[in-house]
Amino acid sequence: MSEGTLSHYSSSVSSSGFGAVLSLTGSSTTTTPVLVVTDPSGRTSGGSAANNRLPPLPSSRYSHVRWYDLRDNDVKGDMLRAPRIREGPRKGDCQYQEPPHDSGPCPDSSSNRFPRRFDFREEMQNWENTTCANLSFQDLGDEYQHQNFLQTLRRLIRCERLQLIDNSLRDLSSVSLPKCTHLYLQGNLLQSFKRLPRTPSLKYLTLTNNGIESLSGLSALRRLPLESLVLSGNPVTFQENYRRRVFKELPSLKKLDGMPRLAKDESPEQERKSVMCVIS
């Protein structure tokens, strides 16, 4: 292809405003404009049909479907690193109607007309056998999504390590995690230790960047085998004698905010006795 031919092709593409397909017929070149229809709003991006909505594609019916709604799928919840489990829009809010139940995804969890299909959904989720789960960043914007999320958490009866980061959670007191030893709750909206889930086996708890303002209810953690607690980013950390008070409430605690227990974190009486012993 000559230099003049390349110049002609370049100018044709820049002046067209669309993508171009280059075709060669002997030594001549032609450019064919291509109309691109990748606008996510479902409208064409130019031409005479600019204001016409495109018909729904066959895949449109799966726009709000999760992995456990699809047939011929052997992937279970405990096999996924960070599964998306947030409930989609309610059926009346969906842009496209779901396919018939005999050929498409499972019905809503609120439906009681298909108990067998709902049992299949629970089997595919397999939350009861999950030992490590990352359910962070679920974008729970509606109350029904929060409630469905709590129902999922109550099924994690064997989970040992659980990440629930940045989920706008306010109250987990109705949740029980009997096997959980590591719980990560960074970036939520928890305002009290009384809103935490029941975790009799908990050893490591992270509550960074929540809204905890008081140590009230901290004594409830005394019964736990808690070794490490992270409260950085909460207003309570600005209280006077914050570290000393936390270690007093939790005698078995070894680390607070990533720092081990220090001599100055002991109670004043114990600190004075230790100093007197050193001097004598």
Side-chain angles (χ1 to χ4, degrees):
M1 184 182 298
S2 66
E3 182 179 354
T5 301
L6 288 175
S7 300
H8 172 73
Y9 172 71
S10 176
S11 62
S12 298
V13 173
S14 61
S15 62
S16 65
F18 298 102
V21 177
L22 179 65
S23 61
L24 298 177
T25 305
S27 61
S28 63
T29 62
T30 59
T31 56
T32 305
V34 177
L35 187 64
V36 180
V37 288
T38 57
D39 185 358
S41 63
R43 299 180 183 274
T44 56
S45 59
S48 60
N51 297 321
N52 296 331
R53 182 174 295 278
L54 294 173
L57 299 174
S59 61
S60 299
R61 62 180 183 177
Y62 298 109
S63 58
H64 302 295
V65 174
R66 288 145 297 191
W67 87 95
Y68 50 78
D69 289 325
L70 300 175
R71 288 190 173 189
D72 301 326
N73 174 29
D74 57 356
V75 177
K76 296 188 177 181
D78 58 331
M79 301 177 183
L80 300 175
R81 185 179 298 275
R84 182 78 160 183
I85 63 171
R86 184 191 70 162
E87 292 286 340
R90 295 186 184 278
K91 187 175 296 186
D93 298 332
C94 291
Q95 183 176 2
Y96 302 112
Q97 190 174 9
E98 289 186 0
H101 296 305
D102 57 350
S103 62
C106 303
D108 286 342
S109 58
S110 59
S111 175
N112 295 323
R113 293 183 301 163
F114 302 91
R116 180 179 302 177
R117 190 65 63 87
F118 186 63
D119 290 343
F120 169 78
R121 168 181 286 185
E122 291 190 346
E123 179 183 353
M124 295 306 299
Q125 292 170 343
N126 199 34
W127 300 131
E128 287 78 7
N129 294 317
T130 300
T131 58
C132 182
N134 182 1
L135 304 180
S136 304
F137 309 107
Q138 295 292 325
D139 193 17
L140 307 175
D142 296 287
E143 181 59 27
Y144 76 91
Q145 293 176 332
H146 277 272
Q147 296 303 320
N148 289 329
F149 189 70
L150 292 178
Q151 291 180 10
T152 297
L153 297 183
R154 296 186 187 106
R155 295 175 57 189
L156 298 174
I157 57 177
R158 294 181 176 87
C159 187
E160 300 176 1
R161 292 174 176 262
L162 179 59
Q163 298 185 42
L164 301 175
I165 302 170
D166 198 8
N167 281 326
S168 301
L169 300 174
R170 298 177 180 271
D171 190 353
L172 296 173
S173 58
S174 63
V175 177
S176 178
L177 303 168
K179 299 293 184 179
C180 185
T181 60
H182 295 67
L183 181 58
Y184 303 91
L185 291 168
Q186 300 98 302
N188 284 285
L189 302 176
L190 298 167
Q191 298 183 350
S192 171
F193 294 103
K194 298 178 181 179
R195 302 294 177 88
L196 295 176
R198 296 183 296 277
T199 51
S201 304
L202 192 62
K203 296 182 178 179
Y204 300 91
L205 175 61
T206 302
L207 290 166
T208 307
N209 296 331
N210 276 268
I212 300 177
E213 300 180 352
S214 170
L215 293 178
S216 174
L218 181 63
S219 57
L221 303 180
R222 183 191 292 260
R223 299 186 294 269
L224 308 181
L226 195 63
E227 299 179 5
S228 175
L229 175 63
V230 181
L231 294 173
S232 56
N234 287 272
V236 69
T237 60
F238 295 100
Q239 292 188 5
E240 186 177 2
N241 297 323
Y242 152 71
R243 288 182 59 87
R244 182 176 296 172
R245 293 172 60 189
V246 171
F247 281 113
K248 183 178 180 180
E249 289 287 346
L250 305 174
S252 63
L253 192 65
K254 298 179 180 179
K255 285 186 178 182
L256 178 60
D257 298 334
M259 295 180 58
R261 182 193 293 261
L262 305 175
K264 63 180 181 180
D265 296 325
E266 304 296 334
S267 62
E269 294 79 7
Q270 293 177 338
E271 188 174 353
R272 284 198 297 267
K273 289 180 180 180
S274 61
V275 172
M276 291 178 58
C277 293
V278 171
I279 296 175
S280 62

